[in-house]
Amino acid sequence: MTLEPNGVATANGNGAVNGTAALKAAVSAPAPVPAEGKAVDLSHHLSLVARSRMPSPLKDILTYMHLPGMISLAGGLPHPSLFPFQSLSTSVYHPSTVLDPANPVPPSDGITIDIARKAQPGNVSFLERDLQYSGAAGFKPLAEMCKALTAAVQPPAYADWDVLINCGSTDAWQKIVTLLCERGETVITDEQIYPSAQAAFIPEGVKCLPIPVDDQGMRPDALCAALDAWDTATQGPRPHVMYLVPVGQNPLGSTMQAERRKEIYAAACKYDLVIVEDDPYFMLQFEAWDPLAPSDESATPPADFMSKVARSFLIHDTEGRVIRLETFSKTLAPGLRIGFFVANSMFIERLLRGTEVQNQQPSGFSQVILGETLARWGTEGYLQWCAGLCEQYRVRRDWMLDALSSELALTPSAETMVATINGRKVLSFTPPIGGMFIWCTVHFDEHPGYAAFVGDGPDRRDKEHEFETAFWKKLVDARVLVTPGWYFTPYEGQGVPSSNNEPGKGYFRLAYSFESKEDMEEGIRRLANVMKAEWA
Amino acid sequence: MTLEPNGVATANGNGAVNGTAALKAAVSAPAPVPAEGKAVDLSHHLSLVARSRMPSPLKDILTYMHLPGMISLAGGLPHPSLFPFQSLSTSVYHPSTVLDPANPVPPSDGITIDIARKAQPGNVSFLERDLQYSGAAGFKPLAEMCKALTAAVQPPAYADWDVLINCGSTDAWQKIVTLLCERGETVITDEQIYPSAQAAFIPEGVKCLPIPVDDQGMRPDALCAALDAWDTATQGPRPHVMYLVPVGQNPLGSTMQAERRKEIYAAACKYDLVIVEDDPYFMLQFEAWDPLAPSDESATPPADFMSKVARSFLIHDTEGRVIRLETFSKTLAPGLRIGFFVANSMFIERLLRGTEVQNQQPSGFSQVILGETLARWGTEGYLQWCAGLCEQYRVRRDWMLDALSSELALTPSAETMVATINGRKVLSFTPPIGGMFIWCTVHFDEHPGYAAFVGDGPDRRDKEHEFETAFWKKLVDARVLVTPGWYFTPYEGQGVPSSNNEPGKGYFRLAYSFESKEDMEEGIRRLANVMKAEWA
């Protein structure tokens, strides 16, 4: 996205805006000039279920309800005077709030949002919209804010896109699986994948095609090679859906930059793939960690936050083959259970038909609280809040990286930091520039007892896993808990080993989002001590 | 359910409690003595998808997190200090509130529910439970209240039952379809069914087996006949799932009494059916309308409300083959988007696994507001509120029935009221004793122009539908909107006509839940005038 002198955003795919002033202009300007091209016809990607959905006949009747003078005995809604809630009130931070990460005391002031059943004449929205059945499309002002946010930050490179509110990304991803996938098909994923994302489609009889990754996530060369080598006779239908977490991938912590995205997108066009971009950590994109410089603990958001982030696949999407899953769970609160889809209008219409029978609409309480918060903050205020939030997590990332650096001797090697003990490699990782996780490779092959333990027999993989598990248990005994790497192994079908370790290597995931600085430091110290004892 | 002298509720299937005092005892007593029998094994009813779900490996790690002294770097939750909401407050009516139906002014007082991030030392529930990821089982106190409510009002007749929170009954029914149904199967339904309930399974390749009804809903003799006549060669797998709305059926308005339920339940056991009891109108069960007595407009709830209602299929369910869908949409507000399942613990466990990937959990805002409301009211207060609510809808029902009675000459005929014009039958209906709807049969065969119009040719059904549609359009022209009966036709597969009218009859649904008394009266007047002109 670049910004024209008149402050209108246009998509050109370079993924940068010129600082906050320009962003402010973009956000406050009229809607950006839309891209002119339309999405290509992707209806062949729809599942049989998605193709079979029909609008409810009850919708037809709505047009008649609005005829002048009509008395409707057709509705069937409960009477809003009988909802016993009189008011709803919340207090939300000013979007400019900067907390001390080490001691995050809530500010004494805040923005009060009061919603009452009789606040002012004609204000019936609390009863008749927020508390009533209100339609699968979600509250219109909220949907419009989600659309404005997308248009301002990362407008798709085609014209006929739309948004649809959902109940958070778990809900969203299940809806996408139902929209696109059939039993016997295979979804393209990264080499490691969040287990709950897999659990949405494995029971549906859908498998993974894991693609090798590097520090930016999925490798386009490996993707093309896997698809070129695809054998429909033995592997089933050619994959047509790709699931990606492009920023702060869970568990890999990798973030994909614009050039890599263009390559992946080109492959998606070539092989006719739909890219599902699950992007909960989009707003958590950090400056690179500098192992030699002291970390800034002030958490003051930079003025040019948005100029540095890698933008959505949407800005490269000339054909309408990206479905973006955006959520407020990481930026505001998971308890809201609200996110939104961005996709071509054909997919959005099918998702709306699905939503009507899948869960009707998100909570009215959540929708009104979110909608009023965004209305008070404005799109610009929301981005300001996210810039501050990003810094909070940047500081937390630095706490953990600093602790790793001080407990284990780290040596940079390309993008990777390597810890050695007595000249033996122990641990390596790429310091993340997004998200909440550090993905660590454990070099068991340099452990003094490893080779003898695993041997070279046919049970080698079992012995490797046994060794890895024993190591993880030693961490538990030392009272530091890490997430085992094998939790994230993609399911490739029956008979394929449930571990995709490189021989001699193991993995675990560290999260820096939640624990205090002191606990992170103590946790990493315990981890380092176990490693020192083991690799000594 | 009967109540022992010690105030303990036990299930014996007669579906009555001895008034409010006994109910109070039941509600405030310790948990009722559970039935001793266990559910029979119904796992053969599970769909392949439901059978294939696995617990997330991330759950395994939870046990380790709670080891003393553990530092967890495994979690990956966002930090609750970074949720910008400081407080949440709502004001809810006292459960004893009685509104004037004609002029429902909110009471000047109410119960204030304040939830703040720092309300008291150690009170971290707002941030760490309400706003955080909190698990697919829902908030434990809320789930416990739903269980207590079930135990107090209509405890299942077997021991190992449980509840599970969901996002309202649309969500619940879709989850049940996924739990139980396979493509090519058939669901047993009433002769008329709510379109959105159908729309949840038709795209999945599941059809309806509609069973003839009477004023209590599904007829057991017709059910048994249809299942005895089932031909797997031409009709596919024998139906094993029954979908019922036993109270105030939408659109039929019928309510099923205890004897009928026992007969249906016996058939379910005989034919190995799972009964899905979608019961949103359970709390809206009224005294019969008396066409000769003036209607009571005071809406004062009776002291013995609970002694008169028909109880859930649960109280007859010795085998654990009932899945109850209960919701707060009609009793508190649809915007909450919260309901709960009651079922055998095997089904509940499978539904929980599904919920984990389908939508994680309902809104935390909704859960905390609902949970706190129920906690302040108590189970007894909730039932008191429902008794008052029921009266509100009883008054509204009477408004409409009185209007029908005054605009059209009604003559009782068994359970049915019949309106005649010039000695010709025009309209007939059974005055409902539950829910929000009156289902009207229109006697087109007594319309002076009907026989000539429809003729006796092969296009007779089309002509009938054309006649019916023209009549409906005349109502629209007279500015009264009713829901056409053909909206509710069950889908029996391709090639089966999309209308199940009895020859010469048409249907429409009237809703008395929403419009004012004046509009109901005027709407019924317009309806009557069209009929008088047509049947003259």
Side-chain angles (χ1 to χ4, degrees), chain B residues 94-116:
Chain B
H94 289 284
S96 58
T97 302
V98 176
L99 301 171
D100 174 1
N103 183 26
V105 179
S108 56
D109 63 340
I111 300 170
T112 301
I113 296 172
D114 277 321
I115 304 147

mmCIF file of all heavy atoms in Angstrom, chain B residues 94-116:
data_model
loop_
_atom_site.group_PDB
_atom_site.id
_atom_site.type_symbol
_atom_site.label_atom_id
_atom_site.label_comp_id
_atom_site.label_asym_id
_atom_site.label_seq_id
_atom_site.Cartn_x
_atom_site.Cartn_y
_atom_site.Cartn_z
ATOM 1 N N HIS B 94 -35.105 -6.878 39.233
ATOM 2 C CA HIS B 94 -35.401 -7.878 40.258
ATOM 3 C C HIS B 94 -36.255 -8.976 39.621
ATOM 4 O O HIS B 94 -37.117 -8.671 38.782
ATOM 5 C CB HIS B 94 -36.158 -7.248 41.431
ATOM 6 C CG HIS B 94 -35.297 -6.356 42.259
ATOM 7 N ND1 HIS B 94 -34.376 -6.848 43.156
ATOM 8 C CD2 HIS B 94 -35.191 -5.000 42.308
ATOM 9 C CE1 HIS B 94 -33.741 -5.835 43.737
ATOM 10 N NE2 HIS B 94 -34.210 -4.702 43.236
ATOM 11 N N PRO B 95 -36.037 -10.206 40.009
ATOM 12 C CA PRO B 95 -36.780 -11.282 39.349
ATOM 13 C C PRO B 95 -38.280 -11.232 39.617
ATOM 14 O O PRO B 95 -39.054 -11.854 38.895
ATOM 15 C CB PRO B 95 -36.150 -12.553 39.913
ATOM 16 C CG PRO B 95 -35.477 -12.145 41.173
ATOM 17 C CD PRO B 95 -35.070 -10.722 41.007
ATOM 18 N N SER B 96 -38.686 -10.470 40.620
ATOM 19 C CA SER B 96 -40.119 -10.379 40.937
ATOM 20 C C SER B 96 -40.821 -9.284 40.139
ATOM 21 O O SER B 96 -42.028 -9.078 40.293
ATOM 22 C CB SER B 96 -40.285 -10.089 42.437
ATOM 23 O OG SER B 96 -39.596 -8.887 42.760
ATOM 24 N N THR B 97 -40.072 -8.600 39.291
ATOM 25 C CA THR B 97 -40.654 -7.487 38.529
ATOM 26 C C THR B 97 -41.863 -7.933 37.710
ATOM 27 O O THR B 97 -41.794 -8.931 36.992
ATOM 28 C CB THR B 97 -39.585 -6.901 37.579
ATOM 29 O OG1 THR B 97 -38.476 -6.483 38.360
ATOM 30 C CG2 THR B 97 -40.144 -5.743 36.760
ATOM 31 N N VAL B 98 -42.961 -7.210 37.850
ATOM 32 C CA VAL B 98 -44.133 -7.463 37.006
ATOM 33 C C VAL B 98 -44.408 -6.196 36.195
ATOM 34 O O VAL B 98 -44.688 -5.132 36.746
ATOM 35 C CB VAL B 98 -45.378 -7.824 37.850
ATOM 36 C CG1 VAL B 98 -46.599 -7.990 36.942
ATOM 37 C CG2 VAL B 98 -45.129 -9.097 38.646
ATOM 38 N N LEU B 99 -44.275 -6.311 34.896
ATOM 39 C CA LEU B 99 -44.520 -5.162 34.011
ATOM 40 C C LEU B 99 -45.980 -5.146 33.599
ATOM 41 O O LEU B 99 -46.656 -6.172 33.612
ATOM 42 C CB LEU B 99 -43.642 -5.272 32.760
ATOM 43 C CG LEU B 99 -42.128 -5.323 32.983
ATOM 44 C CD1 LEU B 99 -41.417 -5.663 31.680
ATOM 45 C CD2 LEU B 99 -41.617 -3.997 33.540
ATOM 46 N N ASP B 100 -46.431 -3.966 33.193
ATOM 47 C CA ASP B 100 -47.744 -3.860 32.557
ATOM 48 C C ASP B 100 -47.552 -4.208 31.084
ATOM 49 O O ASP B 100 -46.846 -3.486 30.373
ATOM 50 C CB ASP B 100 -48.265 -2.429 32.728
ATOM 51 C CG ASP B 100 -49.558 -2.200 31.954
ATOM 52 O OD1 ASP B 100 -50.061 -3.149 31.311
ATOM 53 O OD2 ASP B 100 -50.051 -1.061 31.973
ATOM 54 N N PRO B 101 -48.151 -5.296 30.592
ATOM 55 C CA PRO B 101 -47.899 -5.694 29.205
ATOM 56 C C PRO B 101 -48.204 -4.593 28.198
ATOM 57 O O PRO B 101 -47.514 -4.464 27.179
ATOM 58 C CB PRO B 101 -48.827 -6.893 28.998
ATOM 59 C CG PRO B 101 -49.098 -7.423 30.357
ATOM 60 C CD PRO B 101 -49.058 -6.228 31.274
ATOM 61 N N ALA B 102 -49.241 -3.789 28.494
ATOM 62 C CA ALA B 102 -49.637 -2.757 27.539
ATOM 63 C C ALA B 102 -48.694 -1.570 27.566
ATOM 64 O O ALA B 102 -48.617 -0.812 26.605
ATOM 65 C CB ALA B 102 -51.061 -2.305 27.839
ATOM 66 N N ASN B 103 -47.951 -1.425 28.652
ATOM 67 C CA ASN B 103 -47.075 -0.270 28.784
ATOM 68 C C ASN B 103 -45.886 -0.662 29.663
ATOM 69 O O ASN B 103 -45.798 -0.273 30.820
ATOM 70 C CB ASN B 103 -47.851 0.907 29.405
ATOM 71 C CG ASN B 103 -46.990 2.148 29.479
ATOM 72 O OD1 ASN B 103 -46.056 2.322 28.692
ATOM 73 N ND2 ASN B 103 -47.289 3.014 30.452
ATOM 74 N N PRO B 104 -45.005 -1.468 29.118
ATOM 75 C CA PRO B 104 -43.938 -2.062 29.943
ATOM 76 C C PRO B 104 -42.817 -1.078 30.266
ATOM 77 O O PRO B 104 -41.803 -1.032 29.587
ATOM 78 C CB PRO B 104 -43.440 -3.216 29.073
ATOM 79 C CG PRO B 104 -43.767 -2.830 27.669
ATOM 80 C CD PRO B 104 -44.954 -1.919 27.723
ATOM 81 N N VAL B 105 -43.029 -0.271 31.294
ATOM 82 C CA VAL B 105 -42.031 0.706 31.721
ATOM 83 C C VAL B 105 -40.987 0.004 32.598
ATOM 84 O O VAL B 105 -41.358 -0.689 33.544
ATOM 85 C CB VAL B 105 -42.708 1.835 32.523
ATOM 86 C CG1 VAL B 105 -41.680 2.851 32.998
ATOM 87 C CG2 VAL B 105 -43.791 2.496 31.679
ATOM 88 N N PRO B 106 -39.724 0.168 32.281
ATOM 89 C CA PRO B 106 -38.711 -0.479 33.119
ATOM 90 C C PRO B 106 -38.811 0.001 34.557
ATOM 91 O O PRO B 106 -39.106 1.178 34.799
ATOM 92 C CB PRO B 106 -37.394 -0.017 32.492
ATOM 93 C CG PRO B 106 -37.733 0.443 31.122
ATOM 94 C CD PRO B 106 -39.154 0.932 31.185
ATOM 95 N N PRO B 107 -38.585 -0.864 35.516
ATOM 96 C CA PRO B 107 -38.649 -0.446 36.922
ATOM 97 C C PRO B 107 -37.545 0.558 37.220
ATOM 98 O O PRO B 107 -36.503 0.558 36.564
ATOM 99 C CB PRO B 107 -38.425 -1.752 37.679
ATOM 100 C CG PRO B 107 -37.719 -2.653 36.723
ATOM 101 C CD PRO B 107 -38.207 -2.273 35.364
ATOM 102 N N SER B 108 -37.794 1.413 38.203
ATOM 103 C CA SER B 108 -36.792 2.435 38.507
ATOM 104 C C SER B 108 -35.614 1.852 39.294
ATOM 105 O O SER B 108 -34.525 2.402 39.297
ATOM 106 C CB SER B 108 -37.431 3.568 39.301
ATOM 107 O OG SER B 108 -38.026 3.027 40.462
ATOM 108 N N ASP B 109 -35.834 0.733 39.953
ATOM 109 C CA ASP B 109 -34.714 0.114 40.645
ATOM 110 C C ASP B 109 -34.270 -1.128 39.876
ATOM 111 O O ASP B 109 -34.879 -1.525 38.897
ATOM 112 C CB ASP B 109 -35.096 -0.259 42.075
ATOM 113 C CG ASP B 109 -36.210 -1.297 42.089
ATOM 114 O OD1 ASP B 109 -36.926 -1.425 41.065
ATOM 115 O OD2 ASP B 109 -36.372 -1.978 43.106
ATOM 116 N N GLY B 110 -33.215 -1.699 40.342
ATOM 117 C CA GLY B 110 -32.701 -2.894 39.700
ATOM 118 C C GLY B 110 -31.542 -3.428 40.509
ATOM 119 O O GLY B 110 -31.160 -2.837 41.532
ATOM 120 N N ILE B 111 -30.999 -4.543 40.088
ATOM 121 C CA ILE B 111 -29.832 -5.105 40.755
ATOM 122 C C ILE B 111 -28.612 -4.704 39.932
ATOM 123 O O ILE B 111 -28.529 -5.003 38.746
ATOM 124 C CB ILE B 111 -29.934 -6.638 40.838
ATOM 125 C CG1 ILE B 111 -31.178 -7.044 41.619
ATOM 126 C CG2 ILE B 111 -28.675 -7.233 41.440
ATOM 127 C CD1 ILE B 111 -31.490 -8.538 41.560
ATOM 128 N N THR B 112 -27.693 -4.011 40.557
ATOM 129 C CA THR B 112 -26.503 -3.576 39.842
ATOM 130 C C THR B 112 -25.413 -4.635 39.965
ATOM 131 O O THR B 112 -25.108 -5.106 41.064
ATOM 132 C CB THR B 112 -25.997 -2.240 40.416
ATOM 133 O OG1 THR B 112 -27.046 -1.287 40.272
ATOM 134 C CG2 THR B 112 -24.767 -1.759 39.668
ATOM 135 N N ILE B 113 -24.892 -5.013 38.839
ATOM 136 C CA ILE B 113 -23.796 -5.989 38.813
ATOM 137 C C ILE B 113 -22.556 -5.264 38.322
ATOM 138 O O ILE B 113 -22.500 -4.808 37.185
ATOM 139 C CB ILE B 113 -24.146 -7.165 37.883
ATOM 140 C CG1 ILE B 113 -25.355 -7.926 38.440
ATOM 141 C CG2 ILE B 113 -22.957 -8.088 37.698
ATOM 142 C CD1 ILE B 113 -25.910 -8.980 37.506
ATOM 143 N N ASP B 114 -21.590 -5.115 39.216
ATOM 144 C CA ASP B 114 -20.350 -4.412 38.878
ATOM 145 C C ASP B 114 -19.196 -5.393 38.884
ATOM 146 O O ASP B 114 -18.982 -6.103 39.869
ATOM 147 C CB ASP B 114 -20.057 -3.317 39.916
ATOM 148 C CG ASP B 114 -20.820 -2.046 39.612
ATOM 149 O OD1 ASP B 114 -20.927 -1.705 38.416
ATOM 150 O OD2 ASP B 114 -21.285 -1.402 40.561
ATOM 151 N N ILE B 115 -18.491 -5.415 37.807
ATOM 152 C CA ILE B 115 -17.337 -6.295 37.714
ATOM 153 C C ILE B 115 -16.156 -5.423 37.324
ATOM 154 O O ILE B 115 -16.154 -4.813 36.261
ATOM 155 C CB ILE B 115 -17.566 -7.383 36.656
ATOM 156 C CG1 ILE B 115 -18.840 -8.158 36.983
ATOM 157 C CG2 ILE B 115 -16.373 -8.321 36.571
ATOM 158 C CD1 ILE B 115 -19.572 -8.644 35.781
ATOM 159 N N ALA B 116 -15.194 -5.351 38.201
ATOM 160 C CA ALA B 116 -14.060 -4.462 37.945
ATOM 161 C C ALA B 116 -12.768 -5.249 38.045
ATOM 162 O O ALA B 116 -12.699 -6.273 38.716
ATOM 163 C CB ALA B 116 -14.041 -3.317 38.934
#
